[in-house]
Amino acid sequence: MSSTTSEMIVAGKAVLGIEFGSTRIKAVLIGPDNSPVAAGVHDWENRHVDRLWTYTLDDIRTGLQACYADLRHNVKRDFGVEIENLSAIGISAMMHGYMAFDAEGTLLAPFRTWRNTNTARAAAELSALFDYNIPLRWSISHLYQVVLDGETHVSDIDFITTLAGYVHWQLTGEKVLCIGDASGMLPVDAATLDYDSRMVEKFDGLVAGSSLSKKLLDLLPRILVAGEKAGTLSAEGALLLDPSGHLRPGIPFCPPEGDAGTGMVATNAVRKRTGNVSAGTSSFSMIVLEKELSRPHEMIDMVTTPDGSPVAMVHANNCTSDLNAWVALFKEYQQLMGADVDMNEIYARLYTNALTGDADCGGLVAYNYFSGEPVTGLPEGRPLLIRKANDRFSLANLVRAHLYSSVAVLAIGNEILFGEENVKVDRITGHGGLFKTPVVGQRVLAAALDSPITVMETAGEGGAWGIALLAAYAAAGDGRGTLPEWLDNKVFAGVEGSEISPDAADVAGFASYIRRYKTCLPVEQAAVDCL
């Protein structure tokens, strides 16, 4: 295996995918059979500066280099070779947000990530203007908000993009986006696979007379779909990615895609009537629709698969951050008692023990709101645990309440899809940190959505693998078939998954929990007001 893999890497037949997640940048190298052969990681954290969540350009550059350097080190250690050429490269990142540049390519304002909720007025006005739900985190909301706020940089804006689009631009010189990521900047037209021309025209009319000097289409990256070529690694890009100088320029790229799209690819959920749930720092569910929804819904975002099919997305800004904080507290206790600390074991024992608790968490309610949560109308968040004196306050119920909290917003949003809109889905696949402990995350999500949940053997590979697959698909050329066909035949054929159906007691317990959760939302708002 090692010798064969070494020869494959030396021959330049491997494909590289890099994804910028909220807390980790990950690189995955795959072989011709589309299986991962090596990985590299770099942990990073967003900054909260002037009430806005951001990463600096230096964070992005050094993070990219550190992640690739870790991959390069691991390849050299395990296979004894350098990476000098590749079959293809793909870049992915957390979607949405706002990166604005002038004509010289200078960043005009700190990068505003998806996590920011300062765009309430802009999102509300655009939703009314377009008759279409425009979320707070979308790029068009951020753009209009800086216009409304009269920020001094507006007159100098020449180009706006997402994080994936920015990194791709730096590596190739191309200002493009895959349609899934682009659909989180501005709604796209499923018929034309381009930005919605009606909305473009309305926006240009709305900002006429403002200091915004260019038309909207001139500001946005060009849209591509999965399978299209999106430029090649430039000489400058090669040195940016690999300052050691080993990596050669000229490597082809696939279109840069958002983490929602790569999650769909990594779970084989790009075909109609399939869906997936990604649960990590944030969480989102993606259901690929057979037809458009009957009307706009404030809790549901309409985006697309990487090949342009409509997708109903429920996005929660918060997922496992507060749960992780509580687990870290138990780690600290173990250290205080002089016990050995193994974080994987702590998670496994706490999660598994949680299933022995009451199905309704004994009356406890937790809010995991590190940041605002638009689905429940909270512009800011405060982590909060609520209980009555006579509630059943046990370790199992405490952890179970936080597990429920991690999927509560998804459950609220999907009530509309499966209830009011009567959307049908054949399979929902879970992936992300919540599902690392076997059974527990699946069982919790199955109760929340009252639907069977599948976790595949490949669930741990994540979005970096997903963008590597999109790069491999682009490199496959003619005769590869559609993206769903290629994934079925070339990637997931024979891949097994475990399915867990909802337990009736769990479903009833979660329903009781979510009723309390909704009732106590004013308490969470009071915490925001007072703290």
Side-chain angles (χ1 to χ4, degrees):
M1 171 64 180
S2 178
S3 175
T4 303
T5 302
S6 299
E7 293 169 359
M8 180 269 296
I9 294 172
V10 169
K13 295 181 180 179
V15 173
L16 173 64
I18 300 177
E19 181 160 281
F20 289 72
S22 300
T23 59
R24 172 169 286 190
I25 306 170
K26 183 174 182 180
V28 168
L29 200 67
I30 66 174
D33 66 349
N34 299 309
S35 297
V37 296
V41 297
H42 172 72
D43 292 333
W44 70 339
E45 281 290 347
N46 52 190
R47 306 160 185 257
H48 199 227
V49 181
D50 297 328
R51 300 178 70 88
L52 292 172
W53 295 100
T54 187
Y55 302 84
T56 68
L57 292 188
D58 190 56
D59 292 336
I60 297 167
R61 178 181 59 81
T62 58
L64 173 68
Q65 292 175 348
C67 177
Y68 183 82
D70 188 49
L71 171 71
R72 178 173 161 255
H73 166 79
N74 294 339
V75 166
K76 194 167 185 179
R77 179 197 64 202
D78 295 340
F79 306 112
V81 298
E82 285 282 1
I83 305 171
E84 295 187 346
N85 199 11
L86 294 162
S87 178
I89 301 176
I91 299 295
S92 175
M94 55 191 112
M95 293 173 65
H96 320 297
Y98 178 73
M99 299 190 79
F101 300 87
D102 65 15
E104 283 71 48
T106 302
L107 185 69
L108 295 170
F111 168 34
R112 298 172 190 184
T113 76
W114 57 270
R115 201 169 192 174
N116 291 294
T117 55
N118 64 307
T119 56
R121 179 185 169 191
E125 291 186 14
L126 291 174
S127 295
L129 178 70
F130 296 158
D131 189 26
Y132 195 99
N133 178 42
I134 303 297
L136 276 65
R137 65 187 184 281
W138 281 20
S139 303
I140 193 68
S141 296
H142 284 279
L143 176 62
Y144 186 43
Q145 191 65 52
V146 299
V147 173
L148 290 174
D149 293 342
E151 295 199 26
T152 56
H153 74 270
V154 170
S155 60
D156 295 322
I157 299 174
D158 182 74
F159 174 57
I160 66 171
T161 191
T162 64
L163 178 55
Y166 169 73
V167 175
H168 182 94
W169 173 33
Q170 298 307 297
L171 295 176
T172 68
E174 298 289 338
K175 297 178 178 179
V176 299
L177 270 188
C178 199
I179 191 167
D181 204 2
S183 68
M185 295 192 78
L186 177 76
V188 300
D189 185 332
T192 64
L193 300 180
D194 206 344
Y195 298 110
D196 189 295
S197 59
R198 177 183 64 88
M199 298 183 196
V200 169
E201 183 178 354
K202 285 191 173 186
F203 183 85
D204 285 337
L206 179 66
V207 299
S210 74
S211 58
L212 192 64
S213 59
K214 298 184 74 171
K215 296 290 188 182
L216 182 57
L217 282 184
D218 295 329
L219 298 176
L220 296 170
R222 180 167 56 93
I223 291 181
L224 300 173
V225 297
E228 292 190 279
K229 301 295 191 295
T232 59
L233 183 65
S234 66
E236 298 82 4
L239 285 175
L240 172 62
L241 182 59
D242 180 19
S244 75
H246 286 90
L247 192 64
R248 302 171 189 166
I251 301 166
F253 275 67
C254 71
E257 182 57 287
D259 53 355
T262 59
M264 285 186 271
V265 171
T267 55
N268 196 21
V270 297
R271 192 180 292 278
K272 290 178 174 60
R273 289 176 64 111
T274 64
N276 80 90
V277 170
S278 174
T281 304
S282 65
S283 66
F284 47 83
S285 63
M286 314 286 294
I287 306 298
V288 188
L289 302 176
E290 295 178 281
K291 60 181 181 179
E292 296 284 346
L293 300 180
S294 64
R295 64 180 182 84
H297 298 276
E298 187 176 355
M299 293 183 184
I300 298 171
D301 311 339
M302 292 303 301
V303 290
T304 78
T305 61
D307 57 347
S309 294
V311 175
M313 178 181 191
V314 176
H315 184 279
N317 278 1
N318 305 278
C319 185
T320 60
S321 293
D322 196 33
L323 186 55
N324 293 340
W326 279 90
V327 174
L329 191 69
F330 290 108
K331 170 191 173 184
E332 186 178 344
Y333 171 76
Q334 274 197 288
Q335 290 173 324
L336 180 65
M337 298 300 292
D340 292 335
V341 174
D342 181 329
M343 286 303 291
N344 290 330
E345 185 178 2
I346 294 174
Y347 273 104
R349 286 181 178 269
L350 288 174
Y351 279 26
T352 303
N353 184 62
L355 297 183
T356 69
D358 297 304
D360 67 350
C361 305
L364 280 62
V365 178
Y367 294 94
N368 59 346
Y369 295 0
F370 269 46
S371 61
E373 196 56 81
V375 169
T376 49
L378 274 294
E380 294 185 46
R382 304 290 185 269
L384 186 65
L385 175 67
I386 303 173
R387 65 187 179 97
K388 302 189 298 296
N390 61 345
D391 284 340
R392 294 177 296 282
F393 187 54
S394 67
L395 178 60
N397 282 340
L398 173 69
V399 177
R400 189 166 186 141
H402 285 288
L403 285 165
Y404 278 11
S405 176
S406 67
V407 298
V409 172
L410 289 184
I412 292 170
N414 278 285
E415 286 173 0
I416 294 171
L417 279 182
F418 300 135
E420 182 178 335
E421 289 286 350
N422 198 30
V423 168
K424 303 298 182 185
V425 61
D426 297 325
R427 185 188 76 244
I428 298 177
T429 305
H431 66 115
L434 186 66
F435 305 102
K436 286 184 179 178
T437 299
V439 176
V440 181
Q442 276 178 276
R443 187 166 149 185
V444 167
L445 186 61
L449 300 185
D450 194 11
S451 173
I453 303 297
T454 298
V455 172
M456 293 181 170
E457 294 174 347
T458 54
E461 304 299 347
W465 183 52
I467 190 63
L469 292 177
L470 285 173
Y473 178 66
D478 296 337
R480 66 199 163 193
T482 66
L483 180 60
E485 291 169 345
W486 184 81
L487 290 172
D488 282 344
N489 298 328
K490 300 296 185 180
V491 181
F492 291 98
V495 174
E496 296 182 2
S498 64
E499 181 180 278
I500 289 182
S501 297
D503 176 84
D506 287 347
V507 172
F510 187 89
S512 176
Y513 175 90
I514 208 70
R515 285 193 295 270
R516 294 195 308 276
Y517 185 96
K518 293 176 181 177
T519 299
C520 292
L521 279 168
V523 182
E524 170 67 18
Q525 180 62 64
V528 172
D529 295 339
C530 296
L531 297 175

